[in-house]
Amino acid sequence: MKEKGKEKTPYTSWKGVGYALTELWRFDRRLFLLCLLRIPVLVLLPFSTVYLSKLVVQLVTEGAQVPRMLASVGLLVLGMVLLNVFSNYAALVSKGRAELFETKFYYKVFDKVMDTDYENVESFEGQTKRERAFPQNYSGVGVGLSNIPESLVVIASCVFGFVFYGVILAALNPFITLLLIAITAVNYFALTHVRKYEAAYLERRSVYERRLNYIQYHGLDAQNGKDIRLYRMLPWFRQLFKEALAARDREVWLFVARQILANVLNHSLVFIRDGLAYAYLIYLVLSGQMQVDDFILYFGLISGFSTWIVSLIDNFNWLARSGLIASNIHEYLEMPDYLNRGPGADLPQGRDLPCALEFKDVCFRYPGAEQPVFEHLQLTVKPGEKLAIVGVNGAGKTTLVKLLCGLYRPTHGDVLVNGKKTEEYNRDEYYTLFSTAFQDVHLLPMSIAKNVAMCPEEQIDRERVWDCLRKAGLAERVRGWKDGLDTNLVKGVQDDAVDLSGGEQQKLIFARALYRDAPVLVLDEPTAALDPIAENQLYLQYSELAQDKTSIFISHRLSSTRFCDRIVFIENGKITEMGTHDELMAQGGGYAKMFEIQSYYYKKKGQRAPLAEEGA
């Protein structure tokens, strides 16, 4: 890949909050209005409750008449009821709209995963950021994107209530207000420390979660079930899972321990704070310096002041944690893509087809890898040529295909199509140049027709689907099902679905490549699950269909490469031999030795090749 030259942006909790609010303003401005209206209501409701107790005691001690008592108390209670109804209604509506806002981010992250440059999907950095970006990976009371509006409303009401109550208490004795503020500051700094530790904890935990997910995915995968049982792999999987779970749990318990200590400190300070304040009030009453109704008012104000402080600290902490989630999402969504998404060069068509391909001085190293896959690779594929790429596992064959298809960019050098660098083309338009069939088969839980055509139902040419299935050798199998092309695949997802064998899956993928009918055909070990006879039949069909296309073919069975115009033999990321089958056999190099070794297994008894010499 070419140097990215990027500077890391510091993604913090508070920048995450700002990002979430900016997006929320774009998404739902009515929610902002509801949040603003709720703030004074949340301050007035608890004060009204405190003042009601004072009013009742005051009216009783003054000997007020019943009509006056009913009128005064009734009006206050009516106001409280109206405020409470509005508060509950606004809270319910706000919660629903905030959850819709959070759901929007599920879709945005999902779209990013599906659309980002492929190198971001495979890289360790990209996988780590993706793991942190999904909101459902976080749990906890008051935590999440949907909680940010609520936390901000509560924090704002706590600040106003804090000031309002503080002014009243300061009029009684400034010492009480200062005491409450000082202890609040200690609580804040303690929780700030816990919050910083949590950010590092989430970073470490994402690594363990990815390990656990990998083990669970492969352990529960039905396709792995045979090997797990026949090779008694359960103890091995169990040990891997146990070790990963233990490592994850150690982090969890360390985090929980810190939270417990922070909570113990918080409640201890609250006990000291409220105890001293209440003791002072009792002293004033006993010394005759305060009336009973005022005692009730100030007692309620101190209790409410404490509630404001505790709620302020809690919601500040929850807001910071939610902001961290928003920050992680923001970081992933802003993970840069480097392939051309804007206007690009015109795609080859008409007389420009079939395409000419060229690897010009290409070097490539996977992110984080110590050794390069390719160094100064030179390869030219003529228009309409059928080229086979062969070599041992790990030689770089599939990487070459990824570079050609634009899934990765060279670290140095260029890949060219008809003389134009791949980055000159629009990325998505460039992808349409290729019909591909890779060795790892992934079928979608939908109909056969959609799996072949890979487009909406109304755009499918069903006759063409049948023709591609016939050419791939799968049509008769599909005709045997009562729903034909409408038969659903992947039985584990849909009850009425069917499952294809490994060979049938690869035939369907080949049919998919045929249906696309792109100028360049790329087959990367597409027949690994087929027997030699079925493979030979498929490649005879492939040879016929590739007459007007430039085609790249990768296979581990060298006998199936003989129909190609040219064969490239790769060793350790370098092209060591090139020519037709007969030319390479005459050279007696690595290709010839590999071919002889493979052909040994197809020879009859008495025709055994001298393996010692072949492996020399």
Side-chain angles (χ1 to χ4, degrees):
M1 290 157 291
K2 301 185 188 312
E3 291 298 324
K4 299 181 180 180
K6 64 178 181 179
E7 294 183 3
K8 288 190 175 181
T9 304
Y11 293 92
T12 65
S13 293
W14 304 120
K15 286 190 176 181
V17 172
Y19 167 70
L21 287 177
T22 301
E23 292 297 310
L24 182 59
W25 175 255
R26 295 172 181 167
F27 177 72
D28 192 349
R29 298 185 181 183
R30 292 183 180 180
L31 180 56
F32 266 87
L33 177 61
L34 275 176
C35 291
L36 290 174
L37 292 175
R38 288 181 62 207
I39 293 171
V41 173
L42 291 177
V43 175
L44 290 175
L45 268 175
F47 179 78
S48 300
T49 302
V50 173
Y51 189 78
L52 177 62
S53 300
K54 169 188 165 53
L55 179 62
V56 171
V57 172
Q58 181 182 354
L59 291 172
V60 170
T61 54
E62 290 177 354
Q65 298 296 316
V66 172
R68 179 189 168 194
M69 293 180 64
L70 291 177
S72 299
V73 173
L75 285 174
L76 182 58
V77 170
L78 177 62
M80 292 171 62
V81 169
L82 293 176
L83 288 175
N84 198 53
V85 169
F86 172 79
S87 178
N88 289 333
Y89 166 78
L92 185 62
V93 174
S94 298
K95 185 176 185 297
R97 301 182 82 93
E99 288 178 351
L100 287 176
F101 170 66
E102 183 174 76
T103 301
K104 170 194 171 186
F105 275 93
Y106 281 95
Y107 288 115
K108 291 184 74 170
V109 173
F110 183 77
D111 284 347
K112 178 71 174 182
V113 173
M114 300 292 288
D115 188 58
T116 189
D117 289 350
Y118 187 72
E119 59 189 72
N120 289 336
V121 175
E122 280 202 334
S123 70
F124 177 81
E125 178 187 8
Q127 291 183 30
T128 300
K129 289 180 179 179
R130 181 186 64 194
E131 186 75 22
R132 296 200 306 259
F134 276 100
Q136 70 266 33
N137 289 340
Y138 302 88
S139 61
V141 178
V143 177
L145 281 172
S146 62
N147 181 68
I148 289 178
E150 180 66 20
S151 290
L152 286 171
V153 167
V154 176
I155 287 172
S157 64
C158 287
V159 170
F160 282 111
F162 181 87
V163 174
F164 181 42
Y165 284 28
V167 169
I168 298 175
L169 289 173
L172 174 66
N173 190 325
F175 171 76
I176 293 179
T177 304
L178 291 175
L179 174 68
L180 296 175
I181 292 174
I183 295 179
T184 299
V186 175
N187 277 356
Y188 170 76
F189 288 115
L191 288 175
T192 298
H193 173 74
V194 173
R195 190 168 59 249
K196 289 181 178 179
Y197 179 82
E198 180 180 21
Y201 155 75
L202 290 175
E203 180 81 21
R204 294 190 300 272
R205 178 168 174 171
S206 67
V207 176
Y208 296 122
E209 292 291 352
R210 191 163 61 254
R211 291 177 186 171
L212 286 169
N213 290 339
Y214 181 88
I215 295 168
Q216 290 182 80
Y217 174 80
H218 288 283
L220 298 176
D221 188 357
Q223 294 186 7
N224 295 331
K226 298 186 294 296
D227 290 331
I228 290 173
R229 285 157 179 79
L230 293 175
Y231 289 96
R232 298 183 58 80
M233 296 170 68
L234 176 59
W236 181 71
F237 265 94
R238 184 185 291 135
Q239 183 63 26
L240 283 177
F241 187 81
K242 182 179 179 181
E243 290 173 357
L245 188 63
R248 197 271 313 263
D249 287 348
R250 279 195 299 271
E251 291 291 340
V252 172
W253 283 114
L254 285 172
F255 176 64
V256 170
R258 285 183 179 249
Q259 284 192 315
I260 291 173
L261 288 175
N263 287 333
V264 170
L265 175 62
N266 177 51
H267 287 90
S268 299
L269 291 174
V270 168
F271 177 78
I272 295 172
R273 179 191 66 204
D274 293 352
L276 292 174
Y278 293 151
Y280 179 68
L281 288 181
I282 293 171
Y283 163 74
L284 291 178
V285 172
L286 294 178
S287 62
Q289 301 178 49
M290 179 179 288
Q291 299 298 320
V292 174
D293 58 321
D294 289 333
F295 171 83
I296 291 175
L297 174 65
Y298 283 110
F299 189 94
L301 289 177
I302 290 175
S303 178
F305 192 85
S306 301
T307 301
W308 290 128
I309 292 174
V310 171
S311 183
L312 176 64
I313 293 174
D314 286 345
N315 279 275
F316 204 73
N317 183 45
W318 293 338
L319 179 64
R321 295 173 67 187
S322 299
L324 180 61
I325 298 173
S327 178
N328 289 335
I329 292 173
H330 189 199
E331 182 179 15
Y332 183 70
L333 293 178
E334 286 202 335
M335 186 169 57
D337 291 313
Y338 298 97
L339 298 177
N340 180 17
R341 302 295 188 98
D346 293 334
L347 294 177
Q349 54 184 331
R351 289 182 298 177
D352 296 328
L353 297 176
C355 299
L357 312 174
E358 183 180 0
F359 292 82
K360 188 175 182 179
D361 196 29
V362 169
C363 301
F364 180 77
R365 182 197 306 267
Y366 280 103
E370 296 182 0
Q371 298 296 325
V373 181
F374 296 117
E375 289 188 283
H376 308 292
L377 177 72
Q378 298 282 160
L379 176 62
T380 299
V381 185
K382 300 174 184 178
E385 183 177 16
K386 293 189 285 292
L387 181 75
I389 301 175
V390 299
V392 298
N393 290 335
K397 304 185 297 295
T398 298
T399 301
L400 194 69
V401 169
K402 290 180 180 178
L403 289 168
L404 173 63
C405 293
L407 298 176
Y408 271 98
R409 299 166 299 138
T411 307
H412 173 78
D414 297 292
V415 178
L416 301 98
V417 175
N418 281 8
K420 295 179 181 178
K421 299 177 182 179
T422 55
E423 56 261 35
E424 294 182 30
Y425 295 98
N426 171 275
R427 186 201 73 167
D428 296 319
E429 291 178 356
Y430 181 76
Y431 289 157
T432 64
L433 292 176
F434 301 93
S435 291
T436 58
F438 293 105
Q439 56 184 310
D440 46 341
V441 177
H442 298 285
L443 302 181
L444 301 174
M446 52 192 188
S447 71
I448 293 282
K450 288 183 179 179
N451 265 282
V452 172
M454 298 298 289
C455 64
E457 181 68 38
E458 61 273 11
Q459 299 177 16
I460 297 176
D461 183 340
R462 297 175 75 87
E463 288 301 319
R464 187 173 162 198
V465 172
W466 277 119
D467 185 54
C468 292
L469 289 172
R470 178 184 60 78
K471 292 173 180 176
L474 195 59
E476 291 306 313
R477 175 77 164 129
V478 176
R479 291 186 193 279
W481 294 318
K482 64 181 182 68
D483 292 325
L485 293 181
D486 297 315
T487 302
N488 288 317
L489 294 180
V490 189
K491 206 166 189 176
V493 179
Q494 304 183 79
D495 291 337
D496 62 341
V498 300
D499 284 331
L500 301 179
S501 68
E504 289 170 339
Q505 290 181 29
Q506 291 186 314
K507 288 179 180 179
L508 187 139
I509 296 302
F510 183 62
R512 180 186 294 174
L514 295 177
Y515 187 93
R516 182 163 180 136
D517 193 28
V520 181
L521 184 59
V522 177
L523 304 182
D524 181 9
E525 302 275 18
T527 59
L530 298 178
D531 60 74
I533 295 177
E535 180 188 49
N536 185 62
Q537 292 173 343
L538 188 62
Y539 282 130
L540 288 175
Q541 184 72 42
Y542 156 74
S543 179
E544 178 184 341
L545 297 170
Q547 293 299 324
D548 59 344
K549 303 179 187 301
T550 303
S551 51
I552 305 294
F553 163 59
I554 296 175
S555 176
H556 66 285
R557 290 175 183 160
L558 304 190
S559 59
S560 59
T561 64
R562 301 179 66 171
F563 69 91
C564 291
D565 300 317
R566 190 160 48 119
I567 300 169
V568 171
F569 187 74
I570 297 180
E571 284 186 296
N572 300 319
K574 298 181 184 295
I575 297 176
T576 58
E577 300 173 39
M578 187 184 303
T580 65
H581 172 77
D582 292 337
E583 290 171 345
L584 296 182
M585 290 299 295
Q587 291 178 17
Y591 176 87
K593 291 180 180 179
M594 183 178 290
F595 185 86
E596 289 297 329
I597 291 174
Q598 289 190 8
S599 64
Y600 159 77
Y601 295 101
Y602 298 102
K603 292 181 179 179
K604 298 179 180 178
K605 288 184 178 181
Q607 297 179 312
R608 304 181 70 181
L611 290 180
E613 294 180 10
E614 292 165 349

